[in-house]
Amino acid sequence: MFMDERIVTLFKRNAHHTLTYWSVFFSFGLCIAFLGPTILDLQCQTNSTLSQITWVFFAQQFCLLIGSSVGGVFKRTLFSALAALFVSALVISVIFAIIPLCNNVLLLAIAMAVSGLAMGVIDTIANIQLVTIYQKDSAVFLQALHFFIGFGALVSPLIADPFLSETGCGNHTGNGTEMMHHFRNMLRNSPIAEHNITHSEGGGGEEESIVHYAFWIMALINLPVPIAVLFLMYREQLIPCCPSGTPRLLDKDELAMENQQGAEGPDVEQKEHEAGGHGDIFSCCQNDNLRGLPVSFFMIHILGGMVLFMTDGIVGAYAGFVYTYAVTPPMSLPHKTAGYLASIFWAAITAGRLVSIPLSYRFQPVRLLMFNLAGAIVTVLMLLIFYTSSIFLYVGTCLCGLFLSSIFPCMLAYTEDILDYQGCATSVLVTSAGMGEMVMQVLVGSIIQTEGSYSFLLCGMIIACIGFILFIGLLLFHRMHRNYLTGTSKKSAMVEEPVAEQNGSAKTEQKEEKESS
């Protein structure tokens, strides 16, 4: 068979939960990629400058990072996790509905920030819940989860494109209109239908924006997601107004776990919460039970997070500035031609995550990580060598998206497997990835502005090499941590053997006394 029957059985057992988390991530992808193509229309709507409107998107990314950092706190119970997902998905629909009503850039920034918080909570909770459900078998399902982000990011511009205006607000000079058209193409993720760009030469009429229809359509498309989460809560009988006399399956599982813990003693529960579980990143750092753990435990979290800081930083920087690199010397591609690069990059990420679903079943996450990181370095190196080839720019963009696509879910599955699902890896990795995407976009953008477009590829090469070096360090600390666990198990076995011998000798003496009497 293509997949083990055990994996299929696990999926069937948890299909409702898994499909719900996948749908939430599809909504996440729609939201994260939908706003880029509408930047010109939003600038007209808020009557703001180009620099002001870009800070609106920074506000969303920054709050997404905050939401990712604190989202793990809702994982404590299934009710709190699903309730947080329901509220977050519903907030995204509400924000899309009210964005057309934000006629001030400050109001728009607040709306984007709230949506970023909701997206960050979704990002952390969905990852944690899938890891909790499938644990050592989570790699396949994490790959599928992150596929839906790419799929949503690829679909969302299709919805926006028919409602976008090309002429702007009608109050710009020709150079100003061209500059904003250039900026808009840089952020667009999909060049759908080609529009004719018209410049008004004699004070022509102002084009009326109809982009609000796109936002309202997106709000309606996203609305089934919170409904699906609410239906899952109803099925799990977590809604207070819908009580039931029969216990839920989860309650039975929890009862069985409690009975097992009672039979095995309190040490099991203490071991499970030894590293703080998968709570938010702040509670992970403040947990008193972290004392006494080896250095390798902490370094696995730190190095895993730093690898994703670099790789997700490359994703954000490449998607944001590949258009700028393509239209400037020495490449100097036409704007229409260069507009396809961002779409190709997102399409490659989507295809890579789809292909990684069966690959993650066949190969261990560490092997896929090694292959993807090495492939990303080689691809960027070839882009540097053939920096004047427009054909290889398209090929390299496709390869870069394929290699970078599955690094996050593979790293998540790999680190959680190392730590035996008792650390804070999920919260740390999600937070580090979001921080890297935000920081690297600002850093690479400022370097390109001062040093020129060629520095775009140099930055990508340096960041990729640093990420690979950090990954080698992660492998070394993995070996150290494995040796520590082996030594600990041997010590515990040596302690248990004398106790067992003493118990055995005591039983023998008691038996002899009974026989003699």
Side-chain angles (χ1 to χ4, degrees), residues 79-105:
F79 172 76
S80 62
L82 292 180
L85 286 180
F86 168 73
V87 172
S88 299
L90 185 62
V91 163
I92 289 177
S93 287
V94 172
I95 291 299
F96 273 121
I98 67 174
I99 280 178
L101 307 178
C102 297
N103 296 322
N104 182 278
V105 69

Side-chain angles (χ1 to χ4, degrees), residues 327-373:
V327 297
T328 54
M331 194 66 64
S332 300
L333 292 179
H335 289 192
K336 285 292 184 180
T337 305
Y340 286 90
L341 286 168
S343 181
I344 290 174
F345 183 69
W346 279 110
I349 288 179
T350 305
R353 287 171 176 170
L354 181 62
V355 172
S356 297
I357 295 174
L359 289 179
S360 61
Y361 173 73
R362 300 285 182 179
F363 302 98
Q364 296 179 350
V366 63
R367 295 182 180 273
L368 293 176
L369 282 170
M370 181 73 71
F371 177 76
N372 288 332
L373 288 169

Side-chain angles (χ1 to χ4, degrees), residues 249-310:
L249 179 61
L250 184 65
D251 293 333
K252 297 176 183 177
D253 292 341
E254 290 174 347
L255 181 61
M257 291 176 63
E258 290 176 0
N259 293 337
Q260 184 178 3
Q261 289 175 358
E264 296 178 355
D267 293 337
V268 176
E269 183 177 357
Q270 182 179 0
K271 182 179 178 182
E272 288 180 354
H273 298 283
E274 185 179 40
H278 296 283
D280 63 289
I281 193 169
F282 301 110
S283 63
C284 290
C285 298
Q286 296 174 356
N287 197 314
D288 295 334
N289 293 324
L290 294 177
R291 298 174 183 175
L293 291 173
V295 176
S296 58
F297 177 86
F298 300 98
M299 292 305 298
I300 288 171
H301 287 83
I302 294 173
L303 291 176
M306 289 303 298
V307 171
L308 289 186
F309 182 91
M310 299 298 171

Side-chain angles (χ1 to χ4, degrees), residues 134-177:
Y134 294 104
Q135 295 200 4
K136 293 184 180 297
D137 299 304
S138 61
V140 176
F141 303 97
L142 286 173
Q143 295 287 357
L145 180 73
H146 289 269
F147 159 77
F148 280 94
I149 287 185
F151 183 53
L154 186 62
V155 167
S156 59
L158 292 171
I159 303 170
D161 189 78
F163 304 97
L164 299 178
S165 60
E166 287 284 357
T167 58
C169 305
N171 57 354
H172 304 285
T173 62
N175 290 335
T177 304

